[in-house]
Amino acid sequence: MASVWDHTTLELDDVSDEDGEMIVSVEMEQTIVPTYGAMAENAPILSAAEIVEFDENLDSLYFTDNQRRIDYVLVYEDETMKEHIAKKSFLKQKKKRQAYESNLIKSGLHLEATRSVSDGKIIFVKVHAPWEVLCTYAEVMHIKLPLQPNDLRKHQSAFNCFTKIFRVSEDIIKPEQEFFTAPFEKDRIDDFYIQDKETFFTPATRSRIVHFILSRVEYAIKENVKKFGINKLLDSGIYKAAFPLHDCNFNAVSVDSRCPSERYILYKQWAHPFSILKFQPLDLVRKYYGEKVGIYFAWLGFYTRMLIVAAVVGVACFLYGVKSQETCTWSKEVCDPSIGGSIIMCPQCDKACNYWYLNITCESSKKLCIFDSFGTLVFAVFMGIWVTLFLEFWKRRQAELEYEWDTVEFLEQEEQPLPEYEAKCTHVVKNRITQQEEHVPYTAFGKCLRVTCCTSAVFFWILLIVASVVGIIVYRLSVFLVFSATLPRAVNGTNVEAIQKYLTPQTATTITASIISFIIIMLLNMLYEKVAIIITDFELPRTRTEYENSLTTKMFLFQFVNYYSSCFYIAFFKGKIVGYPGDPVYWFGKYRNEECDPGGCLLELTTQLTIIMGGKAIWNNIQEILVPWVKNLISRCRSSGSKAVLPRWEADYLLQPAGKLGLFYEYLEMVIQFGFVTLFVASFPLAPVLALVNNLLEIRVDAWKITTQWRRMVPEKAQDIGAWQPIMEGVAILAVVTNAMIIAFTSDMIPRLVYYWSFSVPPYGNYTTNTMQGYINNTLSVFSVSDFQSESKPVAVNWFNPTVCRYRDFRYPPGHEHQYEHSVYYWHVVAAKLSFLIVMEHIVYFVKFIIAYIIPDVSNETKDKIKREKYLTQKLLHERHLRVMKKQMGGLADRFLKGMDISMINKED
């Protein structure tokens, strides 16, 4: 695709410095001619922004003439007033800045400079785009603008009367008038709905156009490499900031009647804590911040509303588990002094660990009854269906927003190549489709080399995360020995102390390992964020969407391994390959593999999820609230020394920048939470409740942050949520497998069902009817103490030596012809687990497929609206074109007929 600058040609007025770096002045309708050498005596004088005094109009969004609107603000520090800086250095920076501003002026922009009220060293350059510039670049950027008001009737939902109390009153936020739109063309300017030139381009569109120009204007050439764009000037410190203005203070209405005070309305009706239960004013959010921000909050609000259903069902399943705790037979057997109090368990580590009675796990078994119940199975199946409904209904909602916000054909027409991509397009290739030559930044070999290097780097960092997980496992194995020695288990069930009752070695190991894992996760996150950006920059994607999708994939792969690896270990690996007391399995030949509690590892997985999910939510909210607030407080304190009242541009300068990636990290945070809610929900049915509470706060925290603490972001177009959609679809598919495997292999539901239906009654059991009585005794295998190996036999045996101990497995007892081999019960359980896994997966996947097939991605109503708009738009443009031709042809016909009449009269005469 050709560069946007193909519409114009440029010239360099050469002003070189001592380093051979040419400072360039860009002029329209000319050609670039690079030159080098010393500065010429007759070098052209660069245009500069006019410096004016502040007119004391605090809320003004206009130049001092009160006519030209401020579309963008550039901030720099006056080099002549800087201290401890070499003269050569600040002259070089000054020349680059002057060349850049001169090129902006020659590009058609108007500049006006004003010194800071509180700090005379700071200068604010206000940028205004006149009508001709806006029209030119609106056509270049293929911006869709109004043709005529939309005459299609809007469908009114039957639920509007019920949801009215949650909506913002139309007296406060008036509904936006809808229009039929088309890509702007200057030649057809009369076809567009222009009532007022000042309001035809909205402030968001004006800022977007100016940012497009700022990102592409050059200021220097060094060694045939062009240097251009405001981003590089910001990175090099030539400018301190660049941003569009907020339209007013967030807590006060503007005194200027031309200002709609949309920021104040958004704060009061959206970002304020009292608005937590109100629907979001998404149209106003989109109008003020752009479609990219609007689509994020639309998705987050939709996700939160869908979580209400999941949370209600999750709470119901949790209450069912609490109720079933009263009839949990196997838990009662564990707590029974005559059963659990008489069963001596084998040591779970070598030498340092001692024998212990089963009933010290009484409290954990009671908690396990809550989460390891039949309700968990129902909830896991429900969540497999829920996630499909969420994704399918979101596609429909997204299609509606694409139509309402006019982004249906955005990616095909509007999105331009990144300036960094355009600057490195030095290789010429032939387009396979057009068969025309085009410039690209690298050859096919160079592209393969970049992809290989980036892929290798990503896998290296993922392996680093895996290494950290292995380190946590080694910590768990080694610290368990310490806790086993410092938290000895009493062998007399009646003398168990209160602290030993709740803080077992397994519990202590789980909690400390989870906390350390959380800390390592957060540290690695901060490190990898920078690495992922460097790798993506090296890839050099063509457009902003491609850049964000590439970065999204890398960050999610890393975060997936980082956040979920410890949960996968506990759910599917811990306690699965441990051998038996006479022949335990060791890691690295040194560390004995971990065992689960007699009730399984499900409760430990629940603890891990609670700590990571809860800790992450608390940490992120504190960070999002405190960090920008403290930074802004420090900025205000520094500027308050002058006791001056600040103008709009200076007040915005004291706010925090939004960052180059915008709301990328908010998306990442929510998708990681989505993974916790779906992947491991079978172990923690309250996860949707925690997510719902967090999201209700997250919406308002994010709204408060961007409305009150951040500078106004550059409005950007976006058609959808990008790569996050396929990522969530992949997580949804994986969630069915993980939840089925958690129920089958992590919980004890299948062994209990096998015992109830097969092994509690003859020929394997002694009871006449199906029952859960005797389950604990039947599922704990017997081990003879005399069969201990010398390196694993416990040293301290207290005051008695048992002859046998019990352990969690299904093996034949000592003295059996197949002693310590897996029993028939084991093979029944394995067969049942595999059967359950296959059946559950196929049922849920089949239901998911049926739901996805039944629910179309775009509703029929939205399809009809899109077709109707295209038809009327084409008809409108065609009819206007015909009217113009008819008018022109009509004049020609009148003149022709008039000439014919005159000639006939002359002949008659």
Side-chain angles (χ1 to χ4, degrees):
M1 181 176 179
S3 166
V4 66
W5 292 106
D6 291 346
H7 294 268
T8 59
T9 53
L10 312 172
E11 180 187 7
L12 305 183
D13 294 331
D14 40 320
V15 183
S16 305
D17 63 10
E18 295 86 342
D19 297 332
E21 183 175 17
M22 183 178 60
I23 312 302
V24 301
S25 175
V26 181
E27 188 169 357
M28 306 295 286
E29 305 298 341
Q30 296 182 0
T31 308
I32 295 178
V33 183
T35 61
Y36 297 87
M39 184 179 294
E41 293 182 0
N42 59 347
I45 298 175
L46 301 177
S47 304
E50 178 187 2
I51 297 181
V52 299
E53 295 295 328
F54 173 48
D55 59 4
E56 302 298 328
N57 188 354
L58 301 180
D59 285 342
S60 177
L61 300 176
Y62 294 85
F63 281 18
T64 51
D65 60 12
N66 209 27
Q67 297 296 322
R68 291 173 291 175
R69 184 183 180 90
I70 301 172
D71 299 316
Y72 222 91
V73 175
L74 309 177
V75 187
Y76 69 90
E77 188 174 355
D78 191 348
E79 292 85 355
T80 59
M81 302 180 68
K82 287 184 178 180
E83 299 178 359
H84 310 295
I85 183 172
K87 182 178 180 181
K88 178 180 177 181
S89 177
F90 82 70
L91 282 176
K92 184 176 179 180
Q93 288 190 346
K94 184 177 181 180
K95 284 189 291 184
K96 289 181 179 178
R97 193 190 69 252
Q98 287 177 339
Y100 182 72
E101 292 182 7
S102 178
N103 296 335
L104 291 179
I105 293 173
K106 291 178 180 180
S107 297
L109 299 178
H110 296 176
L111 306 183
E112 182 181 86
T114 303
R115 286 195 179 272
S116 169
V117 174
S118 60
D119 186 355
K121 294 184 294 184
I122 302 298
I123 296 179
F124 296 90
V125 180
K126 294 164 281 184
V127 184
H128 167 77
W131 173 257
E132 284 300 322
V133 172
L134 292 173
C135 291
T136 299
Y137 283 93
E139 183 174 2
V140 168
M141 298 169 66
H142 304 286
I143 294 178
K144 299 176 76 172
L145 293 169
L147 285 172
Q148 73 171 30
N150 189 335
D151 59 356
L152 295 176
R153 270 194 295 177
K154 196 170 183 180
H155 174 71
Q156 296 295 328
S157 173
F159 297 97
N160 281 354
C161 57
F162 300 102
T163 59
K164 187 176 181 179
I165 58 175
F166 299 107
R167 299 182 183 276
V168 181
S169 172
E170 292 186 358
D171 296 332
I172 299 174
I173 302 180
K174 296 181 180 179
E176 293 291 324
Q177 185 177 8
E178 295 185 2
F179 292 92
F180 294 127
T181 61
F184 185 78
E185 296 180 26
K186 291 178 68 175
D187 295 340
R188 289 185 168 183
I189 194 170
D190 294 334
D191 293 338
F192 289 86
Y193 190 78
I194 304 176
Q195 289 187 318
D196 185 357
K197 288 185 177 181
E198 295 299 319
T199 58
F200 180 65
F201 292 98
T202 64
T205 303
R206 297 175 68 100
S207 299
R208 186 167 150 234
I209 292 174
V210 172
H211 178 76
F212 181 86
I213 300 173
L214 294 176
S215 299
R216 284 161 173 78
V217 167
E218 300 174 14
Y219 61 87
I221 289 181
K222 185 175 182 179
E223 298 176 356
N224 293 327
V225 177
K226 300 176 184 178
K227 292 189 175 182
F228 62 90
I230 188 62
N231 291 334
K232 288 187 178 180
L233 292 170
L234 289 170
D235 293 339
S236 60
I238 296 175
Y239 284 101
K240 297 176 70 69
F243 52 89
L245 289 179
H246 282 295
D247 64 353
C248 65
N249 289 320
F250 73 86
N251 55 0
V253 178
S254 175
V255 297
D256 192 337
S257 59
R258 292 173 293 180
C259 174
S261 299
E262 292 173 345
R263 184 190 185 195
Y264 171 79
I265 296 174
L266 285 172
Y267 172 70
K268 286 295 184 182
Q269 305 299 327
W270 181 48
H272 199 279
F274 291 160
S275 302
I276 192 169
L277 296 180
K278 287 185 179 180
F279 289 163
Q280 300 181 83
L282 293 176
D283 288 334
L284 184 58
V285 174
R286 169 251 183 173
K287 178 184 176 183
Y288 191 77
Y289 289 111
E291 286 78 6
K292 196 165 195 175
V293 174
I295 199 74
Y296 164 74
F297 282 101
W299 172 79
L300 182 56
F302 186 84
Y303 171 46
T304 303
R305 289 197 298 274
M306 289 293 291
L307 277 174
I308 295 175
V309 180
V312 170
V313 179
V315 169
C317 292
F318 176 78
L319 294 177
Y320 174 83
V322 173
K323 183 66 176 178
S324 64
Q325 191 178 23
E326 301 173 359
T327 58
C328 188
T329 306
W330 63 270
S331 176
K332 291 180 179 180
E333 290 185 350
V334 170
C335 299
D336 191 341
S338 62
I339 301 176
S342 62
I343 296 178
I344 300 175
M345 302 297 294
C346 297
Q348 292 185 321
C349 65
D350 295 338
K351 294 186 178 180
C353 296
N354 206 343
Y355 301 102
W356 50 286
Y357 282 107
L358 179 62
N359 65 344
I360 69 167
T361 62
C362 175
E363 294 301 321
S364 62
S365 68
K366 290 180 179 178
K367 297 173 186 174
L368 191 60
C369 285
I370 299 175
F371 300 103
D372 193 1
S373 65
F374 180 73
T376 302
L377 172 60
V378 174
F379 189 57
V381 174
F382 167 80
M383 288 301 293
I385 299 172
W386 173 88
V387 71
T388 304
L389 292 172
F390 162 64
L391 293 174
E392 293 301 319
F393 282 126
W394 165 246
K395 289 178 185 177
R396 290 169 63 91
R397 175 58 177 154
Q398 188 171 255
E400 293 174 3
L401 293 175
E402 287 178 16
Y403 168 75
E404 293 173 4
W405 292 354
D406 228 2
T407 61
V408 175
E409 299 175 352
F410 157 66
L411 292 179
E412 299 175 4
Q413 296 182 355
E414 287 189 49
E415 193 164 27
Q416 302 292 332
L418 289 172
E420 295 81 3
Y421 180 91
E422 290 181 319
K424 296 184 179 181
C425 289
T426 57
H427 299 279
V428 179
V429 297
K430 182 177 287 187
N431 190 301
R432 294 182 179 179
I433 299 173
T434 63
Q435 294 299 309
Q436 295 180 353
E437 291 185 347
E438 62 180 15
H439 291 79
V440 294
Y442 34 65
T443 61
F445 175 77
K447 184 175 182 179
C448 292
L449 185 62
R450 286 172 182 266
V451 171
T452 302
C453 293
C454 294
T455 305
S456 302
V458 170
F459 276 109
F460 169 78
W461 282 93
I462 290 177
L463 290 176
L464 184 63
I465 296 301
V466 174
S468 69
V469 173
V470 173
I472 293 294
I473 294 173
V474 172
Y475 164 82
R476 298 171 67 102
L477 299 175
S478 57
V479 83
F480 182 75
L481 298 174
V482 178
F483 284 130
S484 297
T486 56
L487 298 173
R489 296 180 172 120
V491 295
N492 188 346
T494 59
N495 296 325
V496 176
E497 298 179 2
I499 189 170
Q500 294 172 332
K501 184 177 181 181
Y502 295 97
L503 190 62
T504 63
Q506 291 96 335
T507 304
T509 302
T510 299
I511 293 175
T512 57
S514 298
I515 294 173
I516 293 174
S517 177
F518 172 73
I519 295 173
I520 292 176
I521 285 171
M522 302 310 295
L523 291 175
L524 288 175
N525 277 349
M526 292 187 289
L527 180 62
Y528 187 75
E529 286 173 4
K530 296 179 174 57
V531 174
I533 292 173
I534 293 173
I535 296 173
T536 309
D537 290 341
F538 179 73
E539 281 184 1
L540 202 63
R542 181 178 173 275
T543 63
R544 183 71 178 178
T545 299
E546 292 178 6
Y547 181 92
E548 292 184 353
N549 289 347
S550 178
L551 181 62
T552 297
T553 303
K554 294 181 184 63
M555 285 295 294
F556 181 77
L557 283 175
F558 175 82
Q559 299 275 23
F560 185 91
V561 178
N562 199 17
Y563 277 108
Y564 303 143
S565 55
S566 58
C567 295
F568 273 100
Y569 165 73
I570 295 173
F572 307 124
F573 296 99
K574 183 182 176 182
K576 302 301 183 291
I577 309 175
V578 296
Y580 62 96
D583 186 21
V585 177
Y586 292 88
W587 278 67
F588 312 114
K590 180 180 179 181
Y591 299 101
R592 181 170 168 176
N593 208 348
E594 284 186 285
E595 297 182 32
C596 296
D597 278 335
C601 289
L602 190 67
L603 188 61
E604 187 174 344
L605 178 60
T606 303
T607 304
Q608 179 84 359
L609 282 171
T610 305
I611 291 176
I612 294 180
M613 190 175 175
K616 178 178 177 294
I618 294 171
W619 170 260
N620 286 337
N621 283 318
I622 290 176
Q623 192 177 34
E624 290 179 7
I625 295 173
L626 286 184
V627 172
W629 183 80
V630 170
K631 287 183 177 180
N632 288 333
L633 181 63
I634 294 173
S635 299
R636 287 194 296 268
C637 291
R638 288 177 178 174
S639 64
S640 61
S642 62
K643 305 296 183 182
V645 181
L646 303 179
R648 175 80 271 127
W649 49 85
E650 192 161 350
D652 283 6
Y653 171 64
L654 297 178
L655 299 176
Q656 295 303 304
K660 294 182 180 180
L661 297 178
L663 295 171
F664 172 82
Y665 295 109
E666 276 68 24
Y667 268 119
L668 183 61
E669 176 188 350
M670 289 295 101
V671 173
I672 292 296
Q673 181 208 85
F674 176 79
F676 281 120
V677 169
T678 55
L679 289 174
F680 306 101
V681 75
S683 65
F684 190 36
L686 292 181
V689 180
L690 295 182
L692 175 62
V693 174
N694 176 76
N695 288 7
L696 288 173
L697 297 175
E698 182 74 23
I699 292 174
R700 306 306 162 178
V701 168
D702 287 346
W704 173 84
K705 180 174 60 178
I706 69 172
T707 304
T708 68
Q709 304 300 307
W710 282 7
R711 298 170 190 158
R712 188 172 181 176
M713 292 184 287
V714 179
E716 294 183 63
K717 280 278 188 179
Q719 188 177 26
D720 49 37
I721 61 175
W724 300 112
Q725 180 77 27
I727 284 175
M728 288 192 295
E729 290 174 352
V731 170
I733 293 172
L734 181 60
V736 177
V737 180
T738 56
N739 284 301
M741 292 182 67
I742 286 173
I743 294 174
F745 298 105
T746 308
S747 77
D748 258 9
M749 182 176 298
I750 303 301
R752 289 200 300 270
L753 290 175
V754 171
Y755 175 80
Y756 180 83
W757 292 106
S758 299
F759 284 80
S760 63
V761 294
Y764 301 106
N766 300 321
Y767 296 94
T768 56
T769 58
N770 298 100
T771 180
M772 285 300 297
Q773 292 182 8
Y775 170 75
I776 293 297
N777 185 64
N778 191 270
T779 54
L780 292 176
S781 300
V782 179
F783 179 75
S784 175
V785 173
S786 60
D787 292 331
F788 268 122
Q789 298 179 7
S790 58
E791 58 270 17
S792 59
K793 189 173 183 178
V795 176
V797 195
N798 289 336
W799 52 271
F800 80 107
N801 289 315
T803 57
V804 295
C805 60
R806 309 294 289 272
Y807 61 98
R808 176 185 167 84
D809 207 341
F810 306 107
R811 295 179 183 268
Y812 290 114
H816 193 279
E817 59 177 341
H818 300 292
Q819 68 174 8
Y820 302 137
E821 293 182 7
H822 286 120
S823 64
V824 65
Y825 192 174
Y826 171 82
W827 298 113
H828 275 72
V829 169
V830 169
K833 287 181 176 181
L834 294 176
S835 300
F836 170 82
L837 181 64
I838 294 172
V839 171
M840 179 178 172
E841 282 183 2
H842 281 70
I843 290 176
V844 176
Y845 279 138
F846 178 75
V847 175
K848 285 168 66 71
F849 172 78
I850 295 298
I851 292 175
Y853 179 79
I854 292 175
I855 303 176
D857 294 346
V858 183
S859 65
N860 292 329
E861 182 182 359
T862 303
K863 288 180 181 178
D864 293 340
K865 287 181 179 179
I866 294 173
K867 292 177 181 177
R868 172 70 175 166
E869 180 174 356
K870 286 184 177 180
Y871 167 75
L872 290 179
T873 301
Q874 292 173 357
K875 182 180 177 183
L876 176 65
L877 294 175
H878 180 66
E879 287 178 350
R880 288 188 177 180
H881 184 62
L882 286 178
R883 283 199 298 268
V884 171
M885 289 185 64
K886 184 178 180 181
K887 185 177 180 181
Q888 294 174 346
M889 293 299 292
L892 289 173
D894 290 342
R895 287 195 295 271
F896 177 75
L897 292 174
K898 185 177 180 181
M900 290 289 292
D901 292 340
I902 294 173
S903 63
M904 292 294 292
I905 293 171
N906 291 334
K907 286 182 179 180
E908 291 176 358
D909 293 340

